[in-house]
Amino acid sequence: MRDVYVAGAAMTRFAKQPERNLKSLVQEAVSDAVEEAGVELRELDAAYFGNAVAGSLTGQEMVAGQVCLRPLGIERIPVINVENACASSSTAFHLGWQAVASGLHEVVLVVGAEKMTHPDKSRAFEAIGRAVDVERYPPKGAGDRSPLMDVYAEEARTYMEASGASVHDFAAVVVKNQLHGSFNPKAQYGARLTVEEVLQSREIVWPLTLLMCSPITDGAAAAVLVSEKHAPRVGGRVRVAASVIRSGVDPAHDSWIKAPSLAATAAYDAAGVGPEDIDCAEVHDAAAPAELILYEQLGFASAFEGAALIRAGHTQLGGRLPVNPSGGLLARGHPVGATGLGQLVEAVQQISGQAGARQVEGASVALTENGGGWLDGDNAAVAVHILIRG
Amino acid sequence: MRDVYVAGAAMTRFAKQPERNLKSLVQEAVSDAVEEAGVELRELDAAYFGNAVAGSLTGQEMVAGQVCLRPLGIERIPVINVENACASSSTAFHLGWQAVASGLHEVVLVVGAEKMTHPDKSRAFEAIGRAVDVERYPPKGAGDRSPLMDVYAEEARTYMEASGASVHDFAAVVVKNQLHGSFNPKAQYGARLTVEEVLQSREIVWPLTLLMCSPITDGAAAAVLVSEKHAPRVGGRVRVAASVIRSGVDPAHDSWIKAPSLAATAAYDAAGVGPEDIDCAEVHDAAAPAELILYEQLGFASAFEGAALIRAGHTQLGGRLPVNPSGGLLARGHPVGATGLGQLVEAVQQISGQAGARQVEGASVALTENGGGWLDGDNAAVAVHILIRG
């Protein structure tokens, strides 16, 4: 298999953008990524399109990629629509990587896009709630929160008991990620908050307060992946050192092993690095407690030691391993089918020194972790990528 | 890139099976394909899952593959959900082929599954109608036919005028495919009909009569793809000689070139064969006239000479190039997200001499063509595969 490089990566602002449709979001992200890559649209060999809730919210099932890319003049080439819930676009990135690594294609486009704002907000929550086995957990009608927040809350309660982590630790994750978001012009939010402000925001489901939950977001991200022959040589190259997808684990077998851990272990093997080599990471903080658990699943901390990292400031910008320098899902926003590629855009910008006020100094190895769906107590899909400069 | 082989391929009966759910259909097809391949479930490196309308009909969006495969004990490995309308499972097959060809995986599972029967039949038609740009063509509510039949009818009318083909020719396609279906125990239908009976069946939209339209069907198909190392040596091997996907063409550019033609040309190049080398073919006869047009798009006949093939009996079993020996979509049935893989199962059975009463004698090269969705006067996705024995 060949080395694969990211030649261009771009995203729209992640924000509530009720006036825009999916096509408009895709057009902006794709145009910017293709321009950065310095390729012509006619050089694209294939496109992999990740989306999660357009079917539920607008009825656009099955051919959303073709529908959104045709207005740009993208035709003829294979367009492949991918779904893996909140991990849809990192899964699309994986397929694009595979296509270039195999030698099948030279230049491919990867897109993640989501339009979530809807005049009836409960429709967005209901759509997200379909990322489970709907025969066992039928989608609820009108709701005031994503059903997955109940899952995250239960996970948080179990984790608190096992680890001694407190709501203050969860709030500290929010404070950090909102601070990071304030340095990111593409982020939905970003603010200087205190732990107390986070704890005093409206309770969604204990122990989660509103500010501990990722928001409803519209946005798109795109990347152009190329073989070495087409990789730009100016300004350093970004190599995809590992691209791993794992579905979850039946807890009857190994209750202590979860999909993010499986995926990370395989990714470290593939990249020939370990957690100690990671300079910055974007992880799936759909709810704040998940970030602490992910520190452990990804090998950044020992079991039940996740909270120690946030307490010591190690995962804050300026610390030894900044996590979610973009602001993460909590502050950058969470347009579900675009989130994974948004993380990868951040990783590319960090290791190519383009991250502006939130630049992790000297970053050359970045990890992203993107989880999707829920099945039998674990993510239905997890993607872990490792990008390395050079 | 490495050679890729089909080690096992199986399908449920394609039929109206109102009592079964998607999981049940998947379980049967996967179990049979894995058994034929002689592999253990734990040897699977990844799964690619094609489905088109579960989101619309049952609400099962985003993680249908994980939900259907977990009951079989398939976990941990990457499970990737793919949509490309009626070409969803041939697209999944393409991704599985790519994964083995690249050297990334050794043994992969490909699945196509669809549960279309619904207490309210109009819901199934409405779901299929989402395989277009729904902003431009909003899904209609209650309908008595798939909106795509209007597209096929318009295409048929244009073709009649240009080629001189008649409704008798379209009916002859039905007579042939129903005859073929009568030899296929997995087919939904199959009958010895006359041209007159086809023409006298209820008009759906002129020139299409009911028997010229593919039915609503439930079914699943599965295949196990492997590298040479794992390919069975007994009974001949089935090699994937070409796997090509194309999205459609903007008619403003080349109105005479359509996606099936683009895909077939690339597939012949990849396989090193021409249309004259094909021993049998499965093509996307969602409506009967489409089969004649496809004869031309795939190079089996010159432009506007498609009808000559059916008139001469060349594409009937016993003719020089049997097309749709399975019965095609018209008689074998059309569970949209399973159809492409159903075609590939037939191709495998034909070139490995397992096709029973519908066996094409000495078949060693088979082509499948599977179209999906509609955009700007062309398929939004087309997959062409060429399988070769040995």
Side-chain angles (χ1 to χ4, degrees), chain A residues 267-285:
Chain A
Y268 291 135
D269 278 357
V273 302
E276 66 284 2
D277 300 308
I278 304 300
D279 295 317
C280 60
E282 291 283 310
V283 310
H284 200 81
D285 59 330

Side-chain angles (χ1 to χ4, degrees), chain B residues 9-261:
Chain B
M11 56 186 276
T12 66
R13 186 170 172 202
F14 281 6
K16 288 190 167 64
Q17 306 183 59
E19 73 291 357
R20 299 182 72 177
N21 63 9
L22 201 61
K23 288 173 189 161
S24 156
L25 295 163
V26 168
Q27 185 147 1
E28 178 186 338
V30 170
S31 299
D32 289 353
V34 165
E35 185 182 342
E36 182 177 285
V39 301
E40 303 290 329
L41 287 173
R42 63 181 161 68
E43 293 180 78
L44 298 175
D45 294 320
Y48 302 83
F49 190 91
N51 169 266
V53 301
S56 297
L57 287 180
T58 70
Q60 186 61 70
E61 302 275 1
M62 302 189 268
V63 292
Q66 288 90 338
V67 164
C68 289
L69 294 172
R70 182 63 66 86
L72 282 152
I74 296 174
E75 53 170 332
R76 296 170 180 258
I77 62 171
V79 176
I80 290 166
N81 298 286
V82 185
E83 289 192 14
N84 248 339
C86 301
S88 293
S89 58
S90 51
T91 301
F93 188 95
H94 172 76
L95 294 175
W97 163 77
Q98 192 175 296
V100 176
S102 70
L104 179 64
H105 295 315
E106 293 295 324
V107 182
V108 307
L109 175 66
V110 180
V111 185
E114 207 72 81
K115 166 73 183 173
M116 295 179 73
T117 54
H118 191 280
D120 176 1
K121 195 173 178 179
S122 71
R123 285 280 304 277
F125 293 138
E126 194 266 350
I128 300 166
R130 297 180 178 194
V132 300
D133 181 345
V134 299
E135 274 187 352
R136 286 157 61 191
Y137 306 100
K140 290 177 189 158
D144 64 350
R145 63 173 179 261
S146 159
L148 290 181
M149 285 304 152
D150 296 289
V151 170
Y152 280 110
E154 187 185 343
E155 185 184 59
R157 293 190 296 266
T158 305
Y159 180 71
M160 289 171 82
E161 193 159 322
S163 70
S166 73
V167 290
H168 290 80
D169 297 316
F170 303 156
V173 171
V174 179
V175 170
K176 170 181 73 73
N177 291 352
Q178 287 289 344
L179 175 68
H180 293 177
S182 73
F183 302 133
N184 183 356
K186 296 291 179 76
Q188 181 167 4
Y189 299 120
R192 290 172 191 243
L193 299 174
T194 64
V195 163
E196 287 65 36
E197 285 171 315
V198 175
L199 293 176
Q200 282 159 20
S201 68
R202 177 164 65 86
E203 181 174 297
I204 299 298
V205 50
W206 195 82
L208 304 180
T209 66
L210 179 66
L211 289 167
M212 292 183 198
C213 302
S214 52
I216 297 282
T217 312
D218 306 318
V224 176
L225 303 183
V226 300
S227 64
E228 185 161 17
K229 188 166 69 176
H230 294 78
R233 291 180 181 274
V234 185
R237 295 183 302 185
V238 175
R239 181 169 60 88
V240 183
S243 176
V244 175
I245 311 274
R246 290 287 180 270
S247 55
V249 175
D250 184 337
H253 302 159
D254 305 277
S255 62
W256 61 94
I257 298 179
K258 298 277 189 181
S261 166

Side-chain angles (χ1 to χ4, degrees), chain A residues 309-359:
Chain A
L309 289 196
I310 193 86
R311 290 175 195 161
H314 289 325
T315 55
Q316 185 160 325
L317 277 167
R320 62 175 164 79
L321 170 50
V323 172
N324 285 325
S326 72
L329 282 59
L330 290 169
R332 187 199 50 216
H334 184 25
V336 290
T339 286
L341 205 44
Q343 294 177 323
L344 284 152
V345 169
E346 179 70 13
V348 168
Q349 293 185 341
Q350 286 290 349
I351 66 177
S352 55
Q354 301 174 306
R358 66 191 189 284
Q359 181 65 49

Side-chain angles (χ1 to χ4, degrees), chain A residues 1 21-23 45 48 51-53 55-56 58-63 66-67 70 73-86 88 91 94-105 127-136 139 243 245-251 253-254 257 262 336 372-376 378-381, chain B residues 1 21-23 45 48 51-53 55-56 58-63 66-67 70 73-86 88 91 94-105 127-136 139 243 245-251 253-254 257 262 336 372-376 378-381:
Chain A
M1 294 178 63
N21 64 8
L22 202 61
K23 288 173 189 161
D45 294 320
Y48 302 84
N51 170 265
V53 300
S56 297
T58 70
Q60 185 61 69
E61 301 275 1
M62 302 189 269
V63 291
Q66 288 91 336
V67 165
R70 183 63 66 85
I74 296 174
E75 51 169 333
R76 294 169 183 259
I77 63 171
V79 175
I80 289 166
N81 297 287
V82 185
E83 288 192 14
N84 247 340
C86 302
S88 294
T91 301
H94 173 76
L95 294 175
W97 163 79
Q98 192 175 296
V100 175
S102 70
L104 179 64
H105 295 314
I128 300 167
R130 297 179 177 194
V132 301
D133 181 345
V134 298
E135 275 187 352
R136 287 158 61 191
S243 176
I245 311 273
R246 289 289 179 271
S247 55
V249 176
D250 184 339
H253 302 158
D254 305 278
I257 297 179
L262 284 175
V336 290
W374 201 254
L375 187 63
D376 293 338
D378 198 357
N379 279 128
Chain B
M1 293 178 64
N21 63 9
L22 201 61
K23 288 173 189 161
D45 294 320
Y48 302 83
N51 169 266
V53 301
S56 297
T58 70
Q60 186 61 70
E61 302 275 1
M62 302 189 268
V63 292
Q66 288 90 338
V67 164
R70 182 63 66 86
I74 296 174
E75 53 170 332
R76 296 170 180 258
I77 62 171
V79 176
I80 290 166
N81 298 286
V82 185
E83 289 192 14
N84 248 339
C86 301
S88 293
T91 301
H94 172 76
L95 294 175
W97 163 77
Q98 192 175 296
V100 176
S102 70
L104 179 64
H105 295 315
I128 300 166
R130 297 180 178 194
V132 300
D133 181 345
V134 299
E135 274 187 352
R136 286 157 61 191
S243 176
I245 311 274
R246 290 287 180 270
S247 55
V249 175
D250 184 337
H253 302 159
D254 305 277
I257 298 179
L262 284 175
V336 291
W374 201 255
L375 188 63
D376 294 338
D378 198 358
N379 279 129

Side-chain angles (χ1 to χ4, degrees), chain B residues 5 47 103 127 167 264 291:
Chain B
Y5 297 86
V167 290
E291 182 170 313

